[in-house]
Amino acid sequence: MTDTVWLDEENDLLMYIDQTRLPQETKICSCKDMVELFDIIKRLSIRGAPAIGVGAAIGLYAAASRFEDESEDGFLYSLRRSAQYINSSRPTAVNLAWALKRMVKRAEAEAGKGVDGIKAALKQEAKAIYEEDIETCRKIGEFGEPLIKDGATVLTHCNAGSLAAVRYGTALAPIYVATERGKRVSVYSDETRPLLQGARLTVYELAESGIPVTLQCDNMAASIMATGKIDAVFVGADRIAKNGDAANKIGTLGVAIIAKHFGIPFYVCAPISTVDFECESGKKIVIEQRNEREVTEMHYKSRMTHPDAKVYNPAFDVTPAELITAIITEKGVFKPDELHQIENNA
Ligand code: MRU
């Protein structure tokens, strides 16, 4: 599979696979404009917390490389404003804010080198964020792999695979590494209403990688766990609070509650950049509310409910730390209440 997002270094363009078109079509697109970048992230053409962060960093560079400001002050002002604007596209995935902050900080640190010098540094920073994502996710895979035994069946929710990052993904990384090492692993993928990231993306990428995958509707998770067939649940995260509470795709909380009921380990896989040490608890995490048409119309031939129906459409929910067996990061596997151990290295 090709990377999800990357930099076309020759032409200074953000390149990405438009995930709204998968699995029917693998369309590779480019972007060099802030307004377009906002829209790409908002409509989920680039989605998944790590991919949003990398895409935003590369996209910010692609746009900034074309800024015509001649003074450093003017350039930095335009950069900060653009970063603020892109950051408002999706509120929950902290990797977006993390990557944009990192880009702006790098530009500020290069002040004195002239606009061209700052642009060159931004290119380096965007490339570093991209490369680190590949390495980080690989390490998450390495740390998570021993938790998967040969012959295991794993359940996942949403898409936290390669499409949600640059190459390996987070929750699916341990599965990819286990498979590479000769373990037989199969996966149950929740379809993940309303935007079907599980059905459209997780099933696609696992099937393309030759990993056995079974699709189920979200309301079938309890039923399969009751049979005793599921050995572990692996999910990603969009923002993890300091106390270990983890926001992830809507429906994850239900899966965690069911897993607890049946005594099935529930693992959250995420890079440390997804941990928001400034957020004390999951109660403080802002949950993105999305357009009601995603529930009533998208993926149906026509509106499928009464015209007067009110719609509740939060994109994420928060799984409390006590339901999480462990958080798998690039620095190792932590109990949710041990996260503070890595705070100073974050
Ligand atoms: O709305 P999305 O598709 O961006 O939501 C994605 C998720 O919730 C993923 O599970 C999460 O970002 C972890 S990605 C490695």
Side-chain angles (χ1 to χ4, degrees):
M1 293 229 312
T2 104
D3 289 354
T4 307
V5 287
W6 67 99
L7 171 67
D8 171 346
E9 289 195 44
E10 212 170 300
N11 301 301
D12 292 325
L13 294 171
L14 162 65
M15 305 298 298
Y16 65 97
I17 296 177
D18 183 347
Q19 298 196 37
T20 61
R21 298 191 179 240
L22 287 170
Q24 285 83 1
E25 186 191 6
T26 306
K27 186 164 190 243
I28 294 175
C29 305
S30 67
C31 170
K32 56 179 190 296
D33 172 81
M34 295 316 302
V35 176
E36 203 186 328
L37 179 61
F38 180 98
D39 189 47
I40 287 166
I41 295 174
K42 180 88 191 163
R43 68 167 189 255
L44 272 53
S45 288
I46 296 176
R47 52 143 298 280
I52 294 171
V54 179
I58 297 176
L60 182 66
Y61 164 67
S65 69
R66 291 167 171 83
F67 289 171
E68 288 175 359
D69 306 87
E70 283 171 14
S71 74
E72 279 192 357
D73 282 353
F75 178 82
L76 288 173
Y77 177 77
S78 305
L79 187 77
R80 286 189 201 104
R81 278 193 55 141
S82 302
Q84 237 173 15
Y85 170 63
I86 296 306
N87 192 37
S88 66
S89 58
R90 296 197 74 190
T92 307
V94 71
N95 302 64
L96 176 61
W98 170 84
L100 291 167
K101 246 189 237 164
R102 192 168 145 175
M103 292 290 284
V104 171
K105 206 169 151 195
R106 176 69 193 265
E108 288 169 347
E110 301 291 329
K113 297 202 174 145
V115 171
D116 285 346
I118 301 177
K119 285 182 180 174
L122 283 174
K123 185 173 195 163
Q124 266 182 6
E125 198 65 25
K127 277 167 62 182
I129 290 173
Y130 161 89
E131 275 152 20
E132 284 168 27
D133 177 85
I134 297 171
E135 203 183 317
T136 296
C137 290
R138 178 73 203 181
K139 283 188 186 150
I140 291 173
E142 307 269 346
F143 280 116
E145 182 271 333
L147 300 168
I148 300 178
K149 64 179 196 309
D150 185 28
T153 301
V154 162
L155 187 147
T156 192
H157 188 79
C158 192
N159 173 264
S162 59
L163 290 162
V166 174
R167 197 172 295 170
Y168 295 106
T170 55
L172 299 190
I175 295 164
Y176 288 130
V177 175
T179 306
E180 263 174 40
R181 295 184 177 162
K183 289 182 179 170
R184 291 155 304 144
V185 186
S186 54
V187 179
Y188 274 72
S189 169
D190 286 348
E191 66 173 351
T192 318
R193 281 277 290 149
L195 293 177
L196 307 183
Q197 288 94 331
R200 295 189 303 105
L201 307 175
T202 298
V203 169
Y204 166 77
E205 66 164 85
L206 289 172
E208 291 290 307
S209 305
I211 296 173
V213 54
T214 304
L215 174 65
Q216 63 184 5
C217 300
D218 299 336
N219 55 6
M220 298 167 189
S223 155
I224 190 69
M225 286 197 244
T227 66
K229 275 192 194 154
I230 302 296
D231 297 294
V233 175
F234 282 75
V235 296
D238 288 82
R239 190 182 295 249
I240 301 175
K242 192 174 175 175
N243 70 347
D245 295 347
N248 191 49
K249 180 52 53 191
I250 190 71
T252 305
L253 171 59
V255 174
I257 293 168
I258 301 164
K260 181 82 167 183
H261 177 81
F262 289 110
I264 297 168
F266 182 92
Y267 298 112
V268 172
C269 304
I272 290 164
S273 54
T274 300
V275 184
D276 181 355
F277 287 104
E278 285 169 17
C279 179
E280 291 294 328
S281 106
K283 291 198 174 69
K284 299 256 166 71
I285 297 176
V286 176
I287 300 295
E288 177 184 3
Q289 302 290 326
R290 292 188 61 91
N291 194 294
E292 63 178 57
R293 287 197 300 274
E294 291 178 350
V295 175
T296 57
E297 279 160 46
M298 226 169 170
H299 304 297
Y300 293 90
K301 282 193 177 138
S302 57
R303 186 178 170 94
M304 56 61 164
T305 188
H306 192 279
D308 295 343
K310 287 189 192 142
V311 174
Y312 175 57
N313 187 19
F316 303 96
D317 55 27
V318 176
T319 299
E322 65 263 26
L323 297 180
I324 298 171
T325 310
I327 298 174
I328 304 170
T329 75
E330 71 274 27
K331 292 263 166 71
V333 180
F334 298 90
K335 299 267 176 229
D337 62 3
E338 293 169 348
L339 275 182
H340 59 91
Q341 293 176 8
I342 45 174
E343 179 171 4
N344 294 332
N345 298 329

